């Protein structure tokens, strides 16, 4: 039953609802087989992230006083029981989809994926040779016995291992335990084998290592062999979840109880209790800290499954050259005429690369400011900024280290930039710059020209062509002035609470005016509705979790405002609750590309307003990060985004409707089939002239 006195869906269960939507896409037989593997990879990544960030927090909350839990309407014991049951059911479905659905579908496409089966005689010589030539140098077989290894065994986070129980040939007695790494980083997770009778073959690296285990442990018989992986240590992000006063009380209570985050070890399904008990004793962890997974671990590696032919993959979509940002004309001259909008990944990212490359060599550019949210050393942006600094320009980068990359890689790109003269300002607690923004200052006769990049997604994702985002390039004086004001503030590294006022009239900046601005825009629709006028709000977002925002949407819906929510991930708003959210619909879209754009639409008595944003409506994004929302002021660009939203709302192929309990219901429609991502790609192709009729798709 839904508690109408607290009408907010639980974040954890909503996350699992999204995970299940990924499974539905992987189950869809109309999706090409290797694309179904990539959706399984997405599910694997999400469930690992869930266990890394949500399970430790819920376990910690079991030690918090009842009055706090009652205030938060959080009952961790019951919730954990429900979660673990849901996850177990999903993992069972995952294994069924993979083994009974996708693997046979690959075979129908003339690709045989070895899946827990012995290698064919014709492949054994290749497997042996491949192991000797490519793998052997990277493996490290180690005995776990204290007499053979004096130091405590340490499993590297996010690496794959086999744990073995061995018997010495000719010496019956107690078993020996050992482990060996599976060198995925050095070799790759999947290996293409020679074709047989015109059929392609692919094997897990795990199975190639397993098939050659006798070479690693000569003189021993392998009794048991199971994969193991330890999760990277996480932090309890309590302050990202709850208000400051509640966070302080929770933190104090946990400190008094000397709460320590438990480890998380993931093991292959069926690992014997004897092996778990041995590892528990040897590593000093609890048996309860082992979580069983499927027949293989770390299925998110399916994301890098080798290309195997057109009939097993989506038809390639060529990136569309931007109509007005073509090579040959200065990008600054184009922006002096009008704003430009990129729809990614449908548009080519070439204009973004040119934007920074041109700034790096333009003799009139004096200063460049940019936020780098999770970047890597090989990014085009790192190279452009280094060039700019070496060309004598002042370059200031606000950096957020990427915890998913090795610490050495983070240090590498940071050192390269610093050595070139780039000033790097790293994020602080409470001052994490999540905004995707850049500002270029160009000295001209009349003073300064300013050019801005504002996006919904990070630079590090652009080259992958896997995420849907939008990016605005503009020289709009007020927007660029406000962006310079924001960068000037960020240089101070002071927390936003010390600043009572910064004059943002065009930009919405979290921790400054974003909450206030969004609420004002919703209240305006409420006022219009109560005056008998049409009123509507459409929110396209990744995550909708902040309870104050949800309460405001409930209020607007009750006042007659038509509210449509398009989410790709979590949604804590409960639709279709009588008298509370009758006027609110929620759809979730999962398709070929991962949806990452945030679009906010307000009807405004027919003078429609659209904002793009880098941040979701979560407590973390609204109160603990610096995110930036920005208006689309150009009528032509706004008309493009209106059509983008119409396509999302009309989608009856890849969208599902969420009910009160977050079940994913297919949208049944007798109207023409609409697939939003396909329609938005065609829209991008047609944007060659400023002719709105071209948007009638």
């Amino acid at each position: 039953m839904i508690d109408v006195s607290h009408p907010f869906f639980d974040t954890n269960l909503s996350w699992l609802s999204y995970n299940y939507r990924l499974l539905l896409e992987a189950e869809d037989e109309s999706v090409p087989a290797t694309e179904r593997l990539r959706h399984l990879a997405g599910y694997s990544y999400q469930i690992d992230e869930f266990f890394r960030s949500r399970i430790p927090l819920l376990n910690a909350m079991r030690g918090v006083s009842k009055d706090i839990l009652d205030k938060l309407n959080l009952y961790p014991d019951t919730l954990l029981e429900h979660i673990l049951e849901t996850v177990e059911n999903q993992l069972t479905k995952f294994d069924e989809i993979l083994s009974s659905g996708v693997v046979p579908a690959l075979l129908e496409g003339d690709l045989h994926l070895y899946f827990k089966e012995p290698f064919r005689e014709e492949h054994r010589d290749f497997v042996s040779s491949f192991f000797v030539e490519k793998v052997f140098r990277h493996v490290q077989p180690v005995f776990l016995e204290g007499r053979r290894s004096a130091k405590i065994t340490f499993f590297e986070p996010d690496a794959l291992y086999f744990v073995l129980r061995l018997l010495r040939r000719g010496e019956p007695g107690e078993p020996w335990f050992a482990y060996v790494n599976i060198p995925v980083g050095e070799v790759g997770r999947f290996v293409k084998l020679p074709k047989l009778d015109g059929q392609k073959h692919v094997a897990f690296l795990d199975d190639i290592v397993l098939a050659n285990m006798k070479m690693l442990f000569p003189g021993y018989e392998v009794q048991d062999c199971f994969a193991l992986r330890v999760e990277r240590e996480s932090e309890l992000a309590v302050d990202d979840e709850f208000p400051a006063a509640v966070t302080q009380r929770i933190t104090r209570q946990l400190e008094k109880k000397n709460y320590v985050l438990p480890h998380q070890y993931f093991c292959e399904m069926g690992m014997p209790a004897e092996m778990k008990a041995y590892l528990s004793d040897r590593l000093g962890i609890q048996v309860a800290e082992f979580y069983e997974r499927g027949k293989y671990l770390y299925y998110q590696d399916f994301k890098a499954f080798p290309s195997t032919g057109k009939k097993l993959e989506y038809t390639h979509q060529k990136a569309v050259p931007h109509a007005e940002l073509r090579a040959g004309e200065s990008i600054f001259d184009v922006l002096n005429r009008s704003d430009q909008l990129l729809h990614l990944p449908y548009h080519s990212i070439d204009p973004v690369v040119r934007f920074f490359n041109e700034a790096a060599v333009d003799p009139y550019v004096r200063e460049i400011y940019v936020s780098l949210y999770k970047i890597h050393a090989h990014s085009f942006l790192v190279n452009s900024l280094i060039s700019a600094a070496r060309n004598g320009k002042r370059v200031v980068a606000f950096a957020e280290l990427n915890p998913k990359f090795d610490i050495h890689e983070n240090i590498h790109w940071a050192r390269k930039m610093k050595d070139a003269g780039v000033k790097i300002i790293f994020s602080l607690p409470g001052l994490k710059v999540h905004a995707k923004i850049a500002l270029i200052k160009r000295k001209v006769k009349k003073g300064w020209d300013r050019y801005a990049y504002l996006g919904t997604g990070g630079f590090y994702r652009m080259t992958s062509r896997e995420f849907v985002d939008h990016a605005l390039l503009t020289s709009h004086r007020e927007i660029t002035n406000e962006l310079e004001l924001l960068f000037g503030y960020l240089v101070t590294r002071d927390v936003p609470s010390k600043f009572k006022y910064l004059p943002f009239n065009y930009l919405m900046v979290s921790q400054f005016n974003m909450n206030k601005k969004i609420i004002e825009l919703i209240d305006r629709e409420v006022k219009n509705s109560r005056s008998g006028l049409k009123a509507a709000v459409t929110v396209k977002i990744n995550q909708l979790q902040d309870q104050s925002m949800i309460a405001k949407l409930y209020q607007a819906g009750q006042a007659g405002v038509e509210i449509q929510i398009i989410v790709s991930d979590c949604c804590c708003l409960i639709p279709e609750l009588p008298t509370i959210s009758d006027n609110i619909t929620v759809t979730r879209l999962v398709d070929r590309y991962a949806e990452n754009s945030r679009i906010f639409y307000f009807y405004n008595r027919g003078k429609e307003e659209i904002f793009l944003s880098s941040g979701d409506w979560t407590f973390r994004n609204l109160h603990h990060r610096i995110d930036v929302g920005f208006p689309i002021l150009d009528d032509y660009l706004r008309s493009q985004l209106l059509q983008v939203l119409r396509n999302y709302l009309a989608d009856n192929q890849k969208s599902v409707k969420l009910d009160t309990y977050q079940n994913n219901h297919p949208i049944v429609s007798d109207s023409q089939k609409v697939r939003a991502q396909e329609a938005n790609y065609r829209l991008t192709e047609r944007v060659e002239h400023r002719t709105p009729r071209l948007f009638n798709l």
Side-chain angles (χ1 to χ4, degrees):
M1 292 290 292
I2 299 294
D3 181 3
V4 293
S5 66
H6 187 84
F8 306 105
F9 204 84
D10 178 72
T11 299
N12 305 281
L13 298 179
S14 182
W15 189 331
L16 294 179
S17 170
Y18 165 63
N19 289 357
Y20 189 75
R21 175 66 187 91
L22 293 174
L23 289 182
L24 292 178
E25 195 67 11
E27 189 178 35
D28 187 347
E29 294 181 359
S30 69
V31 176
T34 53
E35 305 295 341
R36 294 169 69 184
L37 281 181
R38 292 181 181 118
H39 285 297
L40 290 176
Y43 175 88
S44 178
Y45 171 81
Q46 288 293 333
I47 205 68
D48 283 356
E49 280 289 294
F50 183 87
F51 269 76
R52 186 186 66 82
S53 61
R54 304 304 305 181
I55 296 297
L57 179 60
L58 286 173
N59 276 322
M61 295 300 289
R62 299 168 79 175
V64 173
S65 61
K66 186 176 183 299
D67 65 309
I68 293 179
L69 295 177
D70 287 342
K71 183 177 180 179
L72 298 173
N73 201 49
L74 178 64
Y75 305 100
D77 287 323
T78 304
L79 185 57
L80 276 166
E81 183 179 348
H82 187 180
I83 285 171
L84 294 176
E85 180 183 356
T86 301
V87 170
E88 184 178 353
N89 291 337
Q90 288 187 1
L91 290 174
T92 299
K93 186 173 184 66
F94 180 104
D95 290 337
E96 179 184 326
I97 292 171
L98 178 56
S99 58
S100 302
V102 181
V103 172
L106 291 170
L107 197 58
E108 289 177 9
D110 291 325
L111 188 147
H112 171 226
L113 173 63
Y114 277 101
F115 197 79
K116 287 297 178 184
E117 57 188 295
F119 288 107
R120 297 180 184 178
E121 185 67 36
E122 299 93 326
H123 281 144
R124 288 178 185 171
D125 285 344
F126 173 86
V127 167
S128 179
S129 298
F130 184 87
F131 180 80
V132 171
E133 296 171 11
K134 304 290 186 182
V135 183
F136 203 2
R137 75 193 76 166
H138 301 295
V139 295
Q140 299 170 343
V142 179
F143 282 95
L144 281 159
E145 303 297 329
R147 54 189 162 175
R148 294 295 182 94
S149 177
K151 295 183 179 180
I152 296 292
T153 305
F154 178 71
F155 293 99
E156 291 285 345
D158 297 337
L160 281 174
Y161 298 89
F162 277 130
V163 177
L164 303 98
R165 188 169 66 91
L166 306 165
L167 286 179
R168 183 90 175 163
R169 289 198 195 100
E171 296 182 12
E174 291 296 317
W176 296 69
F177 287 91
Y179 73 89
V180 61
N181 62 307
I182 304 171
V184 175
E186 296 80 5
V187 182
R189 187 70 187 278
F190 301 100
V191 179
K192 290 184 178 180
L193 279 61
K195 284 185 177 181
L196 295 177
D197 300 324
Q199 189 178 65
K200 298 175 182 177
H201 298 264
V202 174
F204 282 87
L205 180 63
D206 318 32
D207 291 331
I208 290 179
V209 174
L210 184 60
N212 290 276
M213 203 63 77
K214 290 182 179 179
M215 195 180 303
L216 296 175
F217 295 97
Y220 290 86
E221 293 287 348
V222 177
Q223 301 298 303
D224 287 305
C225 181
F226 288 85
L228 180 77
R229 183 177 70 85
V230 60
E231 180 57 80
R232 188 181 298 274
E233 288 186 11
S234 60
E235 295 181 0
L236 286 182
V238 180
D239 57 340
D240 282 346
E241 198 84 10
F242 310 115
V246 176
T247 295
Q248 290 174 4
R249 290 189 62 195
I250 292 172
T251 302
R252 284 198 298 267
Q253 290 185 14
L254 294 177
E255 287 175 349
K256 284 182 180 179
K257 295 189 176 184
N258 296 317
Y259 179 78
V260 178
L261 274 170
H263 297 85
Q264 289 184 326
Y265 284 80
F266 297 96
C267 59
E268 183 183 335
M269 186 181 297
M271 178 181 278
E274 178 188 0
M275 185 175 283
K276 288 181 184 177
Y278 178 86
L279 290 171
S280 171
D281 179 67
R282 186 70 179 82
L283 302 173
I285 63 173
Q286 300 294 319
V287 172
E289 294 174 25
F290 286 96
Y291 295 95
E292 284 200 356
R293 286 293 183 259
K295 297 178 180 179
Y296 295 87
L297 299 182
Y298 215 63
Y299 280 117
Q300 57 188 274
D301 281 340
F302 274 141
K303 183 179 179 181
F305 195 76
S307 179
T308 53
K310 293 182 179 179
K311 63 181 177 180
L312 293 175
E313 300 173 353
Y314 281 125
T315 303
H316 175 68
Q317 282 188 343
K318 184 179 179 181
V320 179
H322 195 280
E324 297 189 46
L325 293 172
R326 297 180 184 273
E329 183 179 10
S330 166
I331 205 163
F332 300 131
D333 289 343
V334 175
L335 297 182
N336 285 335
R337 292 197 301 268
S338 62
D339 292 352
Q340 301 298 327
L341 186 64
L342 292 170
H343 307 292
L344 303 170
Y346 315 120
H347 268 132
S348 165
I349 67 162
D350 177 64
V352 181
V353 178
R354 286 177 51 223
F355 181 70
F356 289 100
N357 284 350
E358 191 170 328
V361 299
D362 188 306
Y364 299 105
V365 169
R366 303 293 175 81
E367 299 176 21
I368 300 173
Y369 299 86
V370 63
S371 68
L372 304 177
Y373 183 75
K374 297 180 181 177
I375 205 75
H376 58 75
H378 305 295
S379 167
F380 72 88
L381 187 50
V382 169
N383 292 329
S384 295
L385 297 179
I386 288 173
S387 295
R390 287 176 175 167
N391 286 332
K393 304 173 193 315
R394 182 172 190 254
V395 182
V396 181
F398 299 87
E400 169 70 17
L401 296 179
N402 194 337
K404 295 180 177 65
F405 292 153
D406 185 89
I407 185 64
H408 299 295
E409 182 169 348
N410 281 315
I411 292 172
H412 177 59
W413 67 255
R415 181 174 293 157
K416 280 178 61 179
M417 292 175 67
K418 187 175 180 182
D419 289 346
V422 177
K423 181 177 180 180
I424 301 178
I425 300 176
F426 290 105
S427 291
L428 296 171
L431 193 62
K432 182 177 287 189
V433 183
H434 186 252
K436 286 71 178 179
I437 50 178
L439 179 72
I440 292 170
K441 292 182 65 178
R442 194 166 180 261
K443 191 77 170 85
V444 293
K445 289 182 180 179
K446 60 183 179 180
W448 290 94
D449 282 344
R450 296 169 180 83
Y451 304 89
Y453 170 96
L454 301 105
T456 63
F459 296 107
Y460 74 104
R461 288 177 163 174
M462 287 183 177
T463 52
S464 68
R465 296 202 71 227
E466 295 174 3
F467 297 87
V468 174
D469 277 303
H470 302 284
L472 176 70
L473 294 170
T474 182
S475 64
H476 188 279
R477 185 163 296 278
E478 285 79 8
I479 288 178
T480 55
N481 284 348
E482 290 187 12
L483 200 58
E484 183 174 13
L485 183 68
L486 175 59
F487 276 121
Y489 155 73
L490 292 175
V491 170
T492 69
R493 305 190 81 192
D494 281 327
V495 294
S497 59
K498 292 184 179 180
F499 284 72
K500 294 183 178 180
Y501 176 75
L502 280 178
F504 296 124
N505 296 312
Y506 284 82
L507 299 182
M508 296 190 292
V509 183
S510 54
Q511 301 194 65
F512 288 99
N513 70 329
M514 184 175 284
N515 273 35
K516 181 173 180 289
K517 179 70 172 178
I518 293 172
I519 288 171
E520 286 176 351
L521 292 168
I522 296 174
D523 282 341
R524 185 182 61 191
E525 296 300 317
V526 170
K527 181 179 178 181
N528 291 338
S529 179
R530 287 174 175 165
S531 299
L533 302 172
K534 178 181 176 180
V537 174
T538 301
V539 178
K540 198 268 179 188
I541 205 163
N542 288 353
Q543 300 182 62
L544 175 57
Q545 297 175 1
D546 186 76
Q547 294 185 3
S548 64
M549 283 296 176
I550 293 173
K552 176 55 65 174
L553 290 172
Y554 285 152
Q555 178 189 348
Q558 292 163 6
V561 180
E562 179 186 344
I563 298 175
Q564 296 171 302
I565 310 294
I566 307 160
V567 298
S568 56
D569 202 321
C570 297
C571 179
C572 296
L573 181 148
I574 304 175
E576 302 177 358
L577 270 181
T579 74
I580 295 176
S581 56
D582 317 66
N583 212 26
I584 303 176
T585 61
V586 180
T587 56
R588 174 182 282 138
L589 188 142
V590 172
D591 199 355
R592 172 178 184 168
Y593 304 115
E595 290 287 339
N596 190 58
S597 60
R598 292 93 170 183
I599 309 173
F600 312 147
Y601 164 86
F602 304 91
Y603 183 68
N604 188 29
R605 298 191 178 200
K607 299 177 181 178
E608 297 162 301
E609 290 187 322
I610 286 188
F611 296 82
L612 299 177
S613 177
S614 62
D616 294 317
W617 289 0
T618 68
F619 188 85
R620 175 182 63 189
N621 288 98
L622 292 172
H623 301 283
H624 287 287
R625 289 183 171 182
I626 298 294
D627 272 299
V628 173
F630 46 98
I632 302 301
L633 302 174
D634 183 283
D635 290 340
Y636 176 67
L637 302 184
R638 189 162 54 244
S639 67
Q640 292 179 30
L641 285 174
L642 284 171
Q643 185 60 49
V644 166
L645 281 178
R646 292 188 196 105
N647 292 338
Y648 281 123
L649 294 171
D651 188 296
N652 51 25
Q653 300 299 298
K654 294 298 181 179
S655 285
V656 296
K657 187 176 181 181
L658 299 187
D659 65 13
T660 305
Y661 296 96
Q662 295 250 334
N663 296 309
N664 297 275
H665 294 287
I667 294 176
V668 180
S669 174
D670 295 329
S671 59
Q672 180 182 358
K673 291 182 179 180
V674 177
R675 185 173 172 180
Q677 290 190 357
E678 289 291 332
N680 288 333
Y681 178 73
R682 294 199 304 274
L683 168 66
T684 306
E685 286 184 311
R686 295 183 184 199
V687 178
E688 293 293 332
H689 305 283
R690 290 177 173 265
T691 312
R693 64 182 174 80
L694 291 176
F695 301 156
N696 298 327
L697 304 183

